[in-house]
């Protein structure tokens, strides 16, 4: 079996231990004679999987009973629309911190439903940083404040929750979910596409505070798009196989030691990569130092020709998916929870060899 060092930004690497369990259970789930994919979403086997995944996520994040957890479809992209559809009305204003493409997409959708105020934008700095709290110029009475915790394209990340000045805080946590501790009491809604740290593509986790959900009294929301429809039940046929895998990933996270284990590991991986980048000026990080992401490490080489050579030679060494996002170019190494230290060590060894030959 050939396994490479996978630095894909998403869908991203999955834990080998989880894939082996899936392989073993694929044809016969727990002695039932069928795959989990072939079972009714109302049956006891799948509803147990759904309940276990929500219970594990509650433990891992330290959630109280004042949150609903939902497994929805459409990715974070659907949430760009669904959140303002549920919580923003004409005449109301929501604040959206603009730190990159995904923030811009969320802003575009929110403008369909109400007013959008941008309390900070780093667009003029090529989205190379996130703001300090002092730089946020919030509107007078925002319906909610939205931010993207980690920006995959630009390699930037908020080190902690921004100050929303008492307004409900909404977060697109897709690319750093369960990679570090968060202050759950600060949030009214958190959403995350699973395909970075949580599982395969196809399912999106939405965690909404119950009292915030009760503020949604709009009558003109299609039933499927109304969060109330999903808050206490499996409303429609879910992406059952993806949720099954999310449950296994969460079990793996708990077995490893939970978020504290991965916070320490992710810090070590990022430190090793950034130290290698910063040794001289052959590699140049694209994010400002105090905004650097622990999940997506982005950097450039002296020329685009060298970058193409770097990518092709890296693939020959079993180091794949290092090409930067098409909108910015360069190199991007995504080192989510399932990316092992051995992969980062292999990458930094290659980087040093490549620099020694080309510098």
């Amino acid at each position: 079996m050939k396994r490479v060092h996978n630095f894909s930004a998403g869908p991203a690497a999955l834990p080998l231990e989880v894939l082996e369990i899936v392989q073993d259970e694929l044809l016969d789930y727990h002695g039932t004679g069928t795959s989990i994919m072939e079972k009714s979403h109302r049956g006891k086997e799948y509803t147990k999987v759904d309940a276990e995944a929500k219970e594990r996520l509650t433990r891992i994040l330290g959630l109280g009973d004042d949150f609903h957890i939902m497994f929805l479809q459409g990715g974070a992209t659907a949430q760009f629309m669904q959140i303002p559809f549920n919580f923003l009305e004409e005449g109301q204003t929501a604040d959206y911190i603009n730190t990159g493409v995904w923030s811009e997409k969320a802003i575009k959708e929110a403008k369909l439903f109400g007013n959008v105020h941008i309390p900070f934008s780093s667009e003029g700095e090529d989205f190379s940083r996130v703001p300090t709290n002092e730089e946020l110029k919030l509107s007078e009475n925002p319906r909610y404040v939205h931010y993207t915790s980690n920006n995959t394209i630009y390699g930037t990340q908020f080190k902690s929750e921004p100050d929303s000045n008492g307004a409900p805080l909404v977060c697109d946590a897709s690319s750093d979910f369960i990679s570090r501790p968060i202050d759950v009491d600060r949030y009214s809604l958190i959403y995350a596409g699973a395909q970075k740290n949580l599982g395969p593509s196809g399912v999106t986790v939405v965690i909404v505070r119950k009292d915030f959900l009760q503020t949604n009294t709009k009558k003109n929301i299609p039933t499927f798009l109304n969060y109330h429809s999903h808050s206490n039940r499996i409303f429609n046929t879910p992406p059952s196989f993806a949720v099954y895998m999310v449950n296994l990933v969460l079990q793996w996270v708990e077995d490893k030691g939970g978020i504290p284990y991965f916070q320490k590991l992710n810090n070590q991986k990022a430190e090793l990569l950034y130290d290698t980048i910063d040794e001289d000026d052959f590699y140049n990080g694209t994010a400002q130092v105090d905004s650097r992401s622990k999940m997506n490490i982005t950097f450039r080489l002296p020329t685009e020709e060298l970058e193409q050579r770097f990518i092709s030679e890296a693939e020959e060494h079993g180091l794949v998916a290092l090409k930067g996002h098409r909108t910015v170019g360069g190199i991007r190494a995504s080192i989510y929870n399932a990316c092992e230290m051995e992969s980062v060590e292999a990458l930094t060894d290659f980087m040093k060899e490549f620099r020694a030959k080309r510098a």
Side-chain angles (χ1 to χ4, degrees):
M1 180 179 66
K2 178 184 179 181
R3 295 285 295 176
V4 296
H5 299 290
N6 183 7
F7 298 96
S8 175
L14 287 160
L16 181 59
E17 298 98 312
V18 169
L19 294 174
E20 289 172 340
I21 293 172
V22 174
Q23 182 183 48
D24 183 61
E25 295 182 345
L26 189 61
L27 299 181
D28 182 6
Y29 178 71
H30 293 191
T32 60
T34 70
S35 167
I36 192 70
M37 288 185 287
E38 302 171 279
K39 295 186 178 300
S40 168
H41 64 291
R42 306 294 182 192
K44 62 180 182 180
E45 291 89 2
Y46 178 74
T47 54
K48 181 180 178 182
V49 166
D50 183 272
E52 282 184 354
K54 291 173 180 175
E55 290 166 3
R56 287 195 168 107
L57 190 53
T58 295
R59 288 195 300 269
I60 289 169
L61 291 178
L63 300 176
D65 61 1
D66 48 351
F67 286 93
H68 290 298
I69 298 175
M70 312 172 193
F71 294 126
L72 304 182
Q73 294 156 295
T77 301
Q79 294 306 307
F80 298 161
M81 167 272 299
Q82 194 167 355
I83 290 166
F85 206 162
N86 278 258
F87 295 109
L88 186 62
E89 299 193 56
E90 187 176 353
Q92 294 180 328
T93 297
D95 286 11
Y96 277 73
I97 300 171
N98 184 16
T99 51
V101 165
W102 308 118
S103 301
E104 291 180 324
K105 290 180 181 294
I107 289 167
K108 179 182 178 181
E109 297 301 302
K111 286 181 176 178
L112 298 173
F113 301 95
N115 300 320
V116 172
H117 171 74
I118 300 175
F120 173 86
S121 175
S122 54
E123 182 177 8
E125 300 171 84
D126 297 323
F127 295 121
S128 62
R129 70 181 184 96
V130 299
T132 64
N133 282 327
E134 292 72 25
E135 292 177 295
L136 295 176
K137 308 301 180 185
L138 301 174
S139 61
E140 184 175 347
N141 187 30
R143 181 69 175 91
Y144 57 84
V145 176
H146 177 285
Y147 82 110
T148 306
S149 56
N150 183 81
N151 300 282
T152 55
I153 295 176
Y154 310 98
T156 65
Q157 183 180 33
F158 283 79
K159 301 309 178 197
S160 60
E161 291 81 8
D163 185 1
S164 64
N165 197 28
L169 185 63
V170 174
C171 179
D172 176 1
S174 295
S175 54
D176 63 357
F177 194 59
I178 65 170
S179 70
R180 59 175 183 168
I182 61 172
D183 184 355
V184 295
D185 292 335
R186 298 280 300 277
Y187 292 97
S188 290
L189 190 150
I190 305 169
Y191 64 100
Q195 67 274 11
K196 315 287 189 178
N197 270 321
L198 197 57
S201 58
V203 62
T204 304
V205 174
V206 176
I207 303 170
V208 59
R209 189 178 291 277
K210 293 177 182 178
D211 58 4
F212 182 57
L213 181 58
Q214 292 309 310
T215 67
N216 169 20
T217 58
K218 294 172 72 172
K219 305 298 184 184
N220 62 338
I221 305 174
T223 306
F224 179 76
L225 296 179
N226 195 321
Y227 288 125
H228 287 290
S229 301
H230 304 272
S231 60
N232 286 304
R233 56 178 170 159
I234 301 174
F235 175 69
N236 67 306
T237 305
S240 55
F241 188 71
V243 176
Y244 155 76
M245 289 194 68
V246 165
N247 187 37
L248 292 176
V249 171
L250 292 172
Q251 180 181 355
W252 172 77
V253 169
E254 285 194 306
D255 289 346
K256 289 288 188 180
I259 288 177
Y261 170 86
F262 286 102
Q263 181 187 30
K264 180 179 179 181
L265 177 62
N266 291 329
N267 286 343
Q268 291 171 340
K269 292 186 295 185
E271 183 178 3
L272 178 59
L273 258 172
Y274 284 124
D275 283 349
T276 304
I277 291 169
D278 293 339
E279 283 180 5
D280 58 28
D281 59 0
F282 184 74
Y283 300 112
N284 287 286
T286 61
Q288 295 187 26
V289 172
D290 57 357
S291 294
R292 281 176 164 178
S293 170
K294 301 293 179 65
M295 296 284 97
N296 309 99
I297 316 301
T298 55
F299 57 96
R300 303 300 302 254
L301 276 70
T303 67
E304 291 186 6
E305 180 184 1
L306 274 176
E307 290 171 349
Q308 292 302 316
R309 186 171 296 181
F310 180 96
I311 292 167
S312 62
E313 291 188 17
E315 289 180 356
E316 294 172 3
H317 286 75
L319 305 159
V320 304
L322 286 165
K323 185 177 181 180
H325 192 272
R326 63 185 181 277
T327 60
V328 297
I331 311 296
R332 173 175 57 178
S334 297
I335 55 172
Y336 305 120
N337 287 356
C339 178
E340 298 180 351
M341 177 60 81
E342 289 78 5
S343 292
V344 177
E345 290 171 343
L347 174 58
T348 54
D349 287 345
F350 170 76
M351 290 171 66
K352 292 172 183 177
E353 294 174 5
F354 189 87
R355 177 168 52 198
K357 294 178 182 177
R358 303 294 195 283

